[in-house]
């Protein structure tokens, strides 16, 4: 059963399409990665799914079409996006950001969820009264993920979580995504330019090349493929 299913999706910015008929799916409990070079259309894909730009084609969330739904409605239906370059409100504190994330579900179980995410990311707990803009890049990315999770999504979309982070922080961040997937059975779709670590936590992966997407292959098979390694793993 697919949690997220995209069929023949087209999207762009006016002057022609960036995505030329992309189809992919994420099953319940799966981590799926879309690998693509800079400019391949990864962010466009995420923004199209989240309803932030206009798109054509089929998009189903847990069996229901969200192809014509607006962003707010899509979030309420259970899709959360961690946008590229962090998804935090820099003038709000850590805790205010987390509370804002719970807004769509009217804050039920708020205290419990705050605890849950402060336990997952203790550094956020230490800085709960600090403005998000004063956090390090890694902490901001953690906050962006926790904020997205505060909406209690059914599918989590992450746009290049490794961007601008050290290898160590990237490792830590992906490990937390793995835990979210294992502990909550969360379906996760990650797009990444930096493939090695994403493939480590992924079940399956797709390759996105100038707006077109490949068939999916098991993550381990992609990580072992010489052509993929040359293109995406810097090896
Ligand atoms: N706001 C925009 N307006 C016009 N073109 C854009 C915009 N954002 C991205 N593009 C173009 O769309 C293509 C895909 O970009 P993007 O989805 O950001 O790629 P990626 O995230 O894989 O690096 C690029 O050619 C880029 O220049
Ligand atoms: Mg991008």
């Amino acid at each position: 059963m697919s949690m997220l299913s995209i069929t023949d999706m087209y999207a762009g910015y006016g002057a022609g399409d960036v995505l030329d008929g992309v189809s992919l799916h994420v099953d319940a409990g799966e981590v799926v990665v879309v690998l693509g070079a800079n400019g391949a259309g990864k962010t466009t894909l995420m923004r199209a799914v989240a309803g932030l730009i206009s798109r054509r084609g089929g998009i189903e969330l847990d069996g229901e079409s969200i192809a014509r739904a607006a962003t707010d409605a899509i979030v309420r239906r259970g899709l959360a996006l961690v946008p590229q370059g962090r998804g935090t409100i820099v003038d709000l504190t850590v805790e205010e950001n987390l509370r804002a994330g719970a807004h769509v579900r009217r804050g039920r179980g708020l205290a419990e969820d705050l605890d849950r995410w402060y336990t997952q990311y203790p550094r956020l707990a230490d800085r709960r009264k600090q403005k998000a803009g004063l956090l390090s890049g890694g902490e901001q990315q953690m906050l962006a993920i926790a904020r997205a999770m505060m909406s209690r999504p059914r599918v989590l979309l992450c746009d290049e979580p490794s961007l601008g982070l050290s290898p160590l922080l990237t490792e830590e961040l992906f490990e937390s995504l793995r835990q979210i997937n294992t502990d909550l059975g969360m379906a996760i779709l990650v797009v990444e330019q930096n493939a090695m670590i994403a493939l480590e936590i992924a079940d399956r992966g797709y390759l996105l090349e100038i707006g077109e997407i490949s068939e999916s292959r098991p993550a381990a098979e992609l990580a072992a493929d010489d052509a993929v390694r040359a293109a995406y793993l810097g090896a």
Side-chain angles (χ1 to χ4, degrees):
M1 171 68 191
S2 286
M3 273 320 285
L4 179 68
S5 174
I6 298 165
T7 316
D8 211 19
M9 187 172 69
Y10 292 78
Y13 303 92
D17 288 318
V18 172
L19 302 180
D20 279 318
V22 166
S23 297
L24 66 86
H25 65 100
V26 183
D27 289 339
E30 255 194 327
V31 178
V32 171
V33 62
V34 173
L35 302 177
N38 192 22
K42 301 182 299 299
T43 295
T44 304
L45 171 64
M46 296 308 231
R47 304 191 76 209
V49 174
L52 294 167
I53 57 172
S54 73
R55 69 279 196 221
R56 309 187 306 284
I59 314 173
E60 288 189 355
L61 184 62
D62 202 9
E64 279 180 46
S65 178
I66 54 165
R68 292 176 179 281
T71 307
D72 284 6
I74 290 174
V75 176
R76 277 198 303 276
R77 299 256 204 106
L79 183 130
L81 168 65
V82 180
Q84 181 175 320
R86 332 280 178 247
T88 60
I89 304 167
V90 292
D91 290 333
L92 295 185
T93 65
V94 165
E95 185 139 329
E96 285 164 350
N97 267 278
L98 293 176
R99 286 172 183 274
H103 172 74
V104 291
R105 56 181 183 81
R106 300 197 180 83
R108 282 187 299 269
L110 188 68
E112 231 173 275
D113 284 18
L114 284 172
D115 262 7
R116 167 73 177 78
W117 298 108
Y118 283 145
T119 305
Q120 178 83 50
Y121 300 114
R123 276 187 280 183
L124 296 183
D126 297 341
R127 290 163 178 69
R128 62 178 79 194
K129 301 257 186 289
Q130 257 186 39
K131 292 261 191 331
L134 297 175
L135 301 179
S136 71
E139 289 160 357
Q140 284 194 38
Q141 190 61 264
M142 288 169 194
L143 179 57
I145 294 171
R147 179 170 183 263
M149 289 307 300
M150 286 296 288
S151 70
R152 293 196 183 168
R154 293 188 280 179
V155 179
L156 181 68
L157 268 47
C158 283
D159 190 349
E160 291 215 56
S162 78
L163 202 72
L165 301 188
S166 70
L168 200 68
L169 268 174
T170 304
E171 183 101 34
E172 207 181 308
L173 207 78
F174 271 89
E175 180 52 33
S176 76
L177 287 176
R178 190 213 299 268
Q179 278 172 18
I180 290 168
N181 167 255
T182 332
D183 296 353
L184 304 172
M186 184 62 50
I188 302 178
L189 178 64
V190 191
V191 297
E192 262 295 344
Q193 190 173 356
N194 193 336
M196 183 61 97
I197 205 144
L199 286 173
E200 261 177 43
I201 71 155
D203 298 297
R204 287 186 297 117
Y206 297 84
L207 307 179
L208 181 65
E209 282 165 340
I210 38 174
E212 298 196 4
I213 204 158
S214 68
E215 295 289 308
S216 78
R217 288 161 62 191
E221 190 184 307
L222 284 170
D225 184 306
D226 285 343
V228 173
R229 293 179 71 87
Y232 301 104
L233 304 178

